[in-house]
Amino acid sequence: MNLQLNENFGKIKPSYLFSDVAKRVREYSAAHPGKKILRLGIGDVTLPLAPTVIRAMHAATDEMADAATFRGYAPEYGYDFLREAVARHYASFGVTVAPDDVFISDGAKSDLGNFVDLFGDVPVLVPDPVYPVYVDSNLMAGRTVAFIEGNEENGFLPSPAGLSKSPRLIYLCSPNNPTGAVYSKEGLAEWVNYALESGSLILFDSAYEAFISDDSPRSIYAIEGAERCAVEFCSLSKTAGFTGTRCGWTVVPASLSDGTLSPKKMWERRQATKFNGVPYVVQRAAEAALSDEGMAECMANIAYYKRNAALIAALLEKKKIPFTGGTSSPYLWLKCPGGRGSWEFFDYLLSEAQVVGTPGAGFGAAGEGYFRLTAFGSLETTREAVQRLDKLL
Ligand code: PLP
């Protein structure tokens, strides 16, 4: 081949954080075959899909087996029944979203990565530490990414105070991965006001909204004016255990505009060109997850994970290890004890307790010295890990 490749790929780190973690665990396992390893690292769910969801998938599968009810290509933006179910989901916590502004996706990651197709060479602002997709998808497109630091002083919830009022693409994630920190209404309102004043656009990732246990906003659209300055990405991955089933949505309000171009119209055009929709069976499953019965079952699963989180949180409190998250999030973000570096602490836990977590440094420079544990394991695994850490730390 003699073609010029996208050299921007040279700017992203060659391997993905979780591949690095998996490699170290593989190497450790190979060297210590008798040791039982407990994984509190990767952010994947472990509980099966809810019964209501499974029933809907079976029924939809049967429809696909009958010529009278068979479906071919799905509408690019999603079936109306699901767009409406998503709007009802927002209404259930007091937020108004028009079904027509809802774009059904195969999960938040794809749309977070794809949405940047709509922009030219704009400045991008990303919190640090952060879910790596925001950074890498912009670097691949040749954009320069600036960071705003989350730290102990701001509770890992950076604010726009002090930023110059120039337009930028701003990523926010609440509840946050990796820190588990959650913006209050006032905290998010600061960002919305900043975006309106500066002509910026917020790309808001609400993938963990279902974990919120207090009155913190579950959507950026809970904030007045956000419909004029924000796009929201959400997913059933963590809400309903859809990490392998794949369904989410993106809200692109019709009221967003720069005066000439409409991001909603552009997104419609982009999706119609490059996306052929989410499978019918999956959209019916998603509709079922968002029904009252389905959501009650999903919330029971979330309660199970939160119980795990509470066990880990109790240990950290007992050991006086500073941390955020764990109440409105499946993630606990802790300061590595003894001033250790993130990878140093990773190796320490792996070798001394055979517990796997995620080094904070993998989420950005500001994550160095921190470590992420997740509540997505089984209760048994979590209990055993907590016992081992209790002895070790
Ligand atoms: N956004 C955040 C903050 C995440 O942590 C994840 C997955 O871990 C995603 C988006 C991706 O979710 P999905 O499975 O919907 O692609």
Side-chain angles (χ1 to χ4, degrees), residues 17 125-135 146-152 154-158 171-181 183 324 333-334 342 358-372:
L17 169 63
L125 185 68
V126 173
D128 176 9
V130 82
Y131 177 58
V133 173
Y134 314 149
V135 178
F147 293 97
I148 180 160
E149 193 180 297
N151 50 38
E152 265 174 271
N154 59 28
F156 291 96
L157 295 167
Y171 287 81
L172 294 178
C173 176
S174 177
N176 188 275
N177 179 11
T179 66
Y183 276 105
T324 50
W333 177 253
L334 56 116
S342 297
T358 312
F363 297 98
E368 181 52 88
Y370 290 86
F371 200 73
R372 192 191 75 172

Side-chain angles (χ1 to χ4, degrees), residues 43-44 105-110 112 131 133-134 173 175-178 205-208 233-238 242-243 246-248 331 372:
D44 199 356
S105 69
D106 62 354
K109 189 196 245 185
S110 330
L112 281 160
Y131 177 58
V133 173
Y134 314 149
C173 176
N176 188 275
N177 179 11
D205 185 342
S206 63
Y208 297 91
F233 302 84
C234 196
S235 166
L236 289 175
S237 283
K238 310 301 159 78
F242 270 48
T243 52
R246 312 301 311 145
C247 196
Y331 299 122
R372 192 191 75 172

